[in-house]
Amino acid sequence: MYQDVEPKRVDVENNRPKTTATDDSLTNEGQAINGDSNKSQSFQMPRAPPHVYSCFVVNRTSEQIECMLKYDGRPGEEKFDEVINVTIPANSEHYFPRKFFQPDLPESYCKWVKIVTHVRVKKQNGKILEIDYPFENVHAPIRNWEFHVRDEGDILSKPPTRVVNVLKYENLDQYEC
């Protein structure tokens, strides 16, 4: 009743059936014997984007700073971008949480994550420091990145240095591990 059927073999790189070869010019991998072999390139996964989804801006100065942080939504559509302005006291920090949006409602319920693309700090002396995407030392998507503002120099882009959900923070549900 059932016949033994050999499964079709597919050449994954070219997405076509492999030749099993009675033809003199082909082998069973679909490559020519006469020297005109198909140059196959090995598949490489694309690099993960260096996105920062949430971050701390750490004020390491002895004066308060005005901080502006920009989140970008969908590329090429400014309507999903968001700018947050805060004042960060001396020797303190501010947490900027991950932001979600749903651009295609009601057709799609897919959520997108906004990415941090710009941090601008204005010090009390009027000096303005800025840092833009892609940020130094970010090699893959990450949450809870840190930007340190110092008395001298530019804004430092640093990996997370601590566990985020420490009791000193209010509204712990917004912090991510």
Side-chain angles (χ1 to χ4, degrees), residues 1 7 23-24 38 45-46 50 52-53 60 75-76 81 84 100-101 128 149 163 167 170:
M1 198 161 178
D23 188 323
D24 290 339
N38 295 335
M45 289 292 291
V52 172
Y53 297 126
R60 299 247 183 238
D81 295 355
I84 308 291
F100 294 97
F101 67 105
I128 294 176
V149 179
V163 177
L167 293 178
E170 298 175 26

Side-chain angles (χ1 to χ4, degrees), residues 1-174:
M1 198 161 178
Y2 294 103
Q3 293 179 336
D4 286 338
V5 178
E6 191 172 322
K8 284 186 178 180
R9 295 184 180 176
V10 176
D11 179 356
V12 177
E13 293 173 6
N14 298 319
N15 198 19
R16 58 183 168 184
K18 285 187 176 183
T19 308
T20 52
T22 54
D23 188 323
D24 290 339
S25 67
L26 296 176
T27 66
N28 62 353
E29 280 86 32
Q31 294 181 345
I33 294 175
N34 60 5
D36 297 332
S37 64
N38 295 335
K39 303 272 185 189
S40 64
Q41 296 176 344
S42 62
F43 175 76
Q44 290 184 338
M45 289 292 291
R47 280 190 54 192
H51 291 169
V52 172
Y53 297 126
S54 62
C55 67
F56 286 91
V57 174
V58 182
N59 181 2
R60 299 247 183 238
T61 70
S62 57
E63 298 175 340
Q64 75 177 13
I65 58 173
E66 299 297 319
C67 180
M68 185 276 298
L69 184 128
K70 183 176 184 233
Y71 291 96
D72 277 3
R74 191 153 55 175
E77 294 185 40
E78 291 182 10
K79 67 182 179 181
F80 300 111
D81 295 355
E82 184 175 353
V83 174
I84 308 291
N85 292 296
V86 296
T87 299
I88 304 173
N91 297 308
S92 189
E93 60 191 30
H94 184 81
Y95 180 69
F96 293 89
R98 189 166 51 154
K99 301 274 188 169
F100 294 97
F101 67 105
Q102 293 180 284
D104 300 318
L105 287 173
E107 293 83 27
S108 170
Y109 294 100
C110 178
K111 279 187 178 182
W112 291 46
V113 182
K114 294 181 181 184
I115 62 169
V116 175
T117 57
H118 184 76
V119 179
R120 181 178 188 267
V121 170
K122 183 176 180 183
K123 293 183 172 182
Q124 288 293 332
N125 63 6
K127 185 175 182 181
I128 294 176
L129 303 174
E130 296 183 291
I131 188 168
D132 289 305
Y133 174 88
F135 302 110
E136 188 177 3
N137 302 320
V138 179
H139 304 293
I142 192 162
R143 293 180 281 185
N144 306 323
W145 194 254
E146 295 182 13
F147 297 103
H148 291 235
V149 179
R150 305 170 298 155
D151 283 321
E152 299 298 323
D154 292 330
I155 300 172
L156 293 179
S157 173
K158 298 179 72 170
T161 59
R162 68 214 147 170
V163 177
V164 176
N165 58 354
V166 181
L167 293 178
K168 74 176 197 174
Y169 297 108
E170 298 175 26
N171 303 321
L172 289 178
D173 57 339
Q174 74 174 338

